[in-house]
Amino acid sequence: MKNYILALFISLIAAVQSFAQCDAIPYFTYWNNSNDIQFYPHVDSPYEILEVSWLFPNGDVVLSNTYELVYQDFQSVGIINVCATYILLNPEDVGNPCSVTVCQDIEVICVAPEVNLTYEINESDGTFTVTAVPISGLEPFTYTWGSWQGAITSTNGNVITGDFEGYSHALVHCSVTEFGGNQSCGSTYLNIDVLNPAVECEIQMTATILQNVVTVNGHIFDGTNEVNYPFVTISFGDGFVADAYGNFNGNGFESTHGFAELGTYEVCAISQVGYEDSCPDTLCTIVAIDSIDTGCQAAFSYSASPWDYLSLSSESTGYFTDIQWSVEGGTSDTTDIWWIVEQWPVEVTLTVTNDITGCTSTVTQLIDLSTETMNICGTLYWDTDNDNIMDAGEPGLPYENVLITDADNN
């Protein structure tokens, strides 16, 4: 079920469908304290949102999957009409998804001012100043400042002074509010990275070699602090460059690459932690490739449902750089996908390729719902007395996986 949301979203775009009308009445909420309005879709149970297509007055069409928050900027005040077309599914009703469109009038109450942020560093005492200069909007302006990593020590209108507090950079943001008669409008938060030349970042990295496949793992430290959400560019020395990201749990970063030729390569990690060029550092190591695995083999498993859902999962082996599904004229490049089938039987093709070693493997299978679908009902329970009977008081086991086979283990 991983990649379910993204893959289903892609499949709904690729497959041409005509959906029945829904009995459901979906709606959306929004926040409009500025011209950068946020929209959030809703629908009441038992319906579930599969996809939403947003239509804005300027002609913009924005597709979102399930309950995704959508942002839209508007350039002038006034009443606008926003429409959302929902693709919904009722899990209690065995059938195809349905469609319904809802529209609302929304008032854009103001347009946020544009603001430039600049900064200077006093290297003698390790402090910095940031200045906000509005280039649009109505005076007088008010300023709200904030900083993450580093502290604001003084504020004087549109200028603040800050201290790095031992970090290599401080992320300073400013929200500017203009005068607008009975209305005021705050700018969206404007971020600026302030770099501290007195504190350095450090990358720690290891490279694991399996034949011609190299996996790079590492961590980044900002002074003595491990960096959360590190962003690192990995140069593998053969012209291939990849971005590697970390997370908040201290797991560091990781990137994998397969080499096409034998030889010795310099693998370098270049940090760009946080925003733009903050916390810069570079660390390199040498890897020796003395054997190459050029093989790859496409393979997949699947399951079909009575309401025309087809679940496809890649079981491909070997090292490959690209994967592509082809179903009913549509394509997807994710490992696992869900597909809404337009007409059975359906031909599914999976192709895996390695653009480095030149390996290409394709497998095609014709899948027919009539041969794949059966209805099996039952209860999974804890048989405490081992009598093969669900007695009163013996609890059911929810959300368990059940494997069902025929006599030939299909």
Side-chain angles (χ1 to χ4, degrees):
M1 292 296 291
K2 64 181 181 179
N3 296 332
Y4 166 80
I5 298 301
L6 176 60
L8 181 56
F9 168 51
I10 294 173
S11 68
L12 286 170
I13 298 175
V16 178
Q17 296 280 332
S18 61
F19 297 103
Q21 288 297 311
C22 292
D23 294 330
I25 305 177
Y27 61 98
F28 58 85
T29 54
Y30 58 92
W31 296 265
N32 68 335
N33 58 333
S34 74
N35 60 315
D36 183 19
I37 300 180
Q38 307 165 36
F39 298 88
Y40 190 80
H42 298 267
V43 70
D44 292 332
S45 179
Y47 281 93
E48 299 174 358
I49 297 176
L50 300 182
E51 177 189 291
V52 185
S53 175
W54 301 87
L55 176 62
F56 297 103
N58 63 353
D60 284 352
V61 176
V62 178
L63 294 176
S64 64
N65 53 311
T66 64
Y67 298 88
E68 183 180 0
L69 195 64
V70 172
Y71 298 83
Q72 185 75 4
D73 283 326
F74 300 94
Q75 302 305 312
S76 60
V77 299
I79 303 298
I80 60 172
N81 187 260
V82 175
C83 293
T85 299
Y86 293 74
I87 307 299
L88 304 173
L89 178 68
N90 182 355
E92 298 179 0
D93 178 21
V94 178
N96 291 321
C98 58
S99 172
V100 63
T101 299
V102 295
C103 299
Q104 289 191 56
D105 284 335
I106 295 168
E107 182 181 7
V108 181
I109 59 176
C110 60
V111 176
E114 296 182 54
V115 181
N116 282 340
L117 290 182
T118 59
Y119 73 91
E120 294 181 356
I121 296 176
N122 187 334
E123 296 187 13
S124 63
D125 60 9
T127 62
F128 58 87
T129 59
V130 180
T131 303
V133 179
I135 58 177
S136 68
L138 299 175
E139 298 183 4
F141 298 100
T142 57
Y143 303 86
T144 303
W145 294 90
S147 177
W148 174 73
Q149 294 191 173
I152 296 175
T153 56
S154 66
T155 303
N156 182 15
N158 69 324
V159 180
I160 60 101
T161 301
D163 192 299
F164 289 103
E165 295 191 322
Y167 287 93
S168 67
H169 72 289
L171 177 64
V172 179
H173 54 81
C174 180
S175 178
V176 179
T177 302
E178 68 170 341
F179 175 80
N182 295 324
Q183 300 283 356
S184 63
C185 181
S187 68
T188 56
Y189 278 95
L190 301 164
N191 298 322
I192 188 168
D193 251 341
V194 183
L195 303 183
N196 180 3
V199 176
E200 295 183 354
C201 287
E202 179 185 359
I203 297 176
Q204 296 180 1
M205 178 181 69
T206 60
T208 303
I209 306 172
L210 181 61
Q211 290 185 302
N212 63 312
V213 178
V214 174
T215 300
V216 175
N217 298 91
H219 299 263
I220 300 179
F221 291 87
D222 183 4
T224 59
N225 306 291
E226 181 166 2
V227 174
N228 293 318
Y229 300 108
F231 172 34
V232 182
T233 298
I234 309 294
S235 174
F236 284 89
D238 63 347
F240 182 78
V241 177
D243 291 334
Y245 300 89
N247 58 36
F248 193 77
N249 298 320
N251 293 331
F253 59 87
E254 179 177 301
S255 183
T256 299
H257 173 58
F259 290 86
E261 298 179 359
L262 303 179
T264 301
Y265 299 89
E266 185 180 47
V267 178
C268 296
I270 304 97
S271 69
Q272 294 184 2
V273 182
Y275 301 85
E276 297 178 353
D277 296 323
S278 62
C279 199
D281 186 32
T282 298
L283 179 65
C284 298
T285 187
I286 301 297
V287 298
I289 305 300
D290 53 18
S291 65
I292 293 181
D293 179 7
T294 59
C296 59
Q297 180 62 54
F300 67 87
S301 60
Y302 66 89
S303 63
S305 71
W307 45 90
D308 295 334
Y309 275 178
L310 182 61
S311 175
L312 300 167
S313 180
S314 172
E315 305 290 344
S316 303
T317 57
Y319 182 73
F320 48 89
T321 57
D322 299 289
I323 182 171
Q324 179 150 2
W325 297 92
S326 176
V327 188
E328 294 186 319
T331 61
S332 175
D333 59 2
T334 58
T335 302
D336 302 331
I337 67 172
W338 281 67
W339 198 270
I340 300 177
V341 177
E342 191 170 325
Q343 184 175 356
W344 299 93
V346 61
E347 185 177 87
V348 177
T349 298
L350 173 64
T351 300
V352 295
T353 57
N354 188 332
D355 56 10
I356 298 170
T357 63
C359 175
T360 298
S361 178
T362 299
V363 60
T364 299
Q365 186 168 348
L366 188 67
I367 303 173
D368 193 347
L369 180 66
S370 62
T371 63
E372 301 299 329
T373 302
M374 60 185 69
N375 294 318
I376 298 178
C377 298
T379 302
L380 188 64
Y381 67 97
W382 187 261
D383 190 13
T384 57
D385 56 6
N386 294 317
D387 63 354
N388 295 324
I389 299 174
M390 187 174 182
D391 303 311
E394 291 184 330
L397 300 177
Y399 307 113
E400 293 288 339
N401 292 321
V402 178
L403 177 65
I404 302 173
T405 67
D406 63 12
D408 298 322
N409 289 322
N410 296 315

